[in-house]
Amino acid sequence: MASCPEAPPANLTRLFERAYVLVLGAEAAAPDSLKRAKRRLKVATKQLTRAGKLVQQLGEKNKLAPACAQELSATITRGLERTGSFRTNLASCAS
């Protein structure tokens, strides 16, 4: 990320990576099992929400540069929107 002079904390990176893997797993599972895909997307949403709270806390404690915290928050928001739209599309496929 251009606004972050240093790498984000490991626990934040871990939350992002876990959410990413869950979304990929949901995409792979969608054709076979909608229930499994929805479950993975729900967990990915929780991981991204946790990451958002962590970014907010780190920003408040000045452990992240303000521009970096803002960019990370925007990335998390986009991820949550995409995950939500994917879940909506899965729900419409089921009907």
Side-chain angles (χ1 to χ4, degrees):
M1 300 210 165
S3 301
C4 299
E6 54 196 43
N11 52 353
L12 183 60
T13 304
R14 210 171 311 117
L15 289 170
F16 271 115
E17 289 174 353
R18 177 146 166 73
Y20 177 72
V21 168
L22 285 164
V23 170
L24 289 179
E27 288 177 348
D32 299 329
S33 172
L34 289 176
K35 185 176 181 180
R36 184 177 298 145
K38 286 180 185 179
R39 189 176 333 128
R40 287 181 182 188
L41 288 172
K42 183 177 180 182
V43 175
T45 301
K46 283 184 180 182
Q47 295 297 310
L48 288 171
T49 304
R50 282 173 145 181
K53 289 177 183 177
L54 182 60
V55 166
Q56 184 178 6
Q57 289 172 353
L58 293 172
E60 289 172 356
K61 294 179 182 179
N62 293 324
K63 295 191 177 196
L64 273 179
C68 182
Q70 189 174 11
E71 188 173 341
L72 286 169
S73 293
T75 302
I76 291 167
T77 302
R78 281 193 309 272
L80 285 168
E81 289 170 355
R82 291 179 78 183
T83 305
S85 67
F86 190 30
R87 284 180 77 182
T88 303
N89 290 341
L90 281 177
S92 65
C93 289
S95 2

